[in-house]
Amino acid sequence: MTSSPNPIEHSFELAAARCDDLTPHVYRRLFREYPEAQAMFRSEGSESVKGSMLSLTIEAIIDFAGERRGHFRMIECEVSSHDAYGTPRDLFVAFFAVIADELREILGAQWSDEIDAAWHKLLRDIDAVVLQQKHLAGETP
């Protein structure tokens, strides 16, 4: 298998070689850094929801960082649906940073300057999308 030239996608490929399932790692970090997030998941049956949510988020991230064929629009849509769930927008954006932080930890020395720069740009771009959604909804920043 050849690796992706996209540093974001490449970071996921490298992590997949080291870790069978990112889900428990990402959510452990999320709940440690944002304990209020844990109450947003029901106690029974939430493992499959977490896995599905992370999988869809990764697809959206890879598309957003790459060719933007459509999956990235899920980020825009999910801002509104998470508003309806009562998820603070800061927490919504933080989830992406939690994923990046967990990947950085898993990759260790394989986390390159190129990957780091790509993730920083991606996180700024996602923050801009969320801010744009706020303006479209007529909210003040």
Side-chain angles (χ1 to χ4, degrees):
M1 175 172 104
T2 60
S3 68
S4 171
N6 179 306
I8 300 291
E9 188 171 358
H10 186 60
S11 68
F12 283 110
E13 291 169 349
L14 291 171
R18 291 175 166 236
C19 176
D20 288 339
D21 185 4
L22 284 176
T23 306
H25 299 278
V26 167
Y27 284 93
R28 192 170 25 253
R29 179 180 290 271
L30 177 68
F31 297 153
R32 184 177 66 239
E33 294 180 11
Y34 302 92
E36 69 276 18
Q38 193 159 10
M40 296 176 173
F41 291 87
R42 59 181 194 250
S43 57
E44 288 185 35
S46 69
E47 295 309 310
S48 62
V49 171
K50 291 175 193 171
S52 176
M53 189 170 118
L54 182 60
S55 177
L56 291 171
T57 303
I58 291 170
E59 286 178 31
I61 287 170
I62 290 171
D63 192 47
F64 191 83
E67 296 180 10
R68 295 197 180 184
R69 293 184 177 179
H71 289 288
F72 77 95
R73 294 205 183 281
M74 186 180 347
I75 294 170
E76 295 171 0
C77 295
E78 289 299 321
V79 170
S80 297
S81 73
H82 280 73
D83 281 350
Y85 295 138
T87 304
R89 290 204 175 163
D90 290 348
L91 181 57
F92 179 86
V93 172
F95 186 63
F96 296 94
V98 165
I99 293 168
D101 291 343
E102 192 57 35
L103 288 173
R104 183 183 303 109
E105 186 172 310
I106 290 169
L107 296 185
Q110 287 185 303
W111 183 269
S112 67
D113 290 341
E114 182 182 23
I115 290 171
D116 192 64
W119 269 101
H120 276 90
K121 180 184 181 324
L122 177 93
L123 294 173
R124 284 191 309 273
D125 290 350
I126 289 172
D127 197 42
V129 165
V130 172
L131 187 59
Q132 179 184 23
Q133 291 300 105
K134 185 181 260 190
H135 289 305
L136 291 174
E139 299 172 28
T140 54

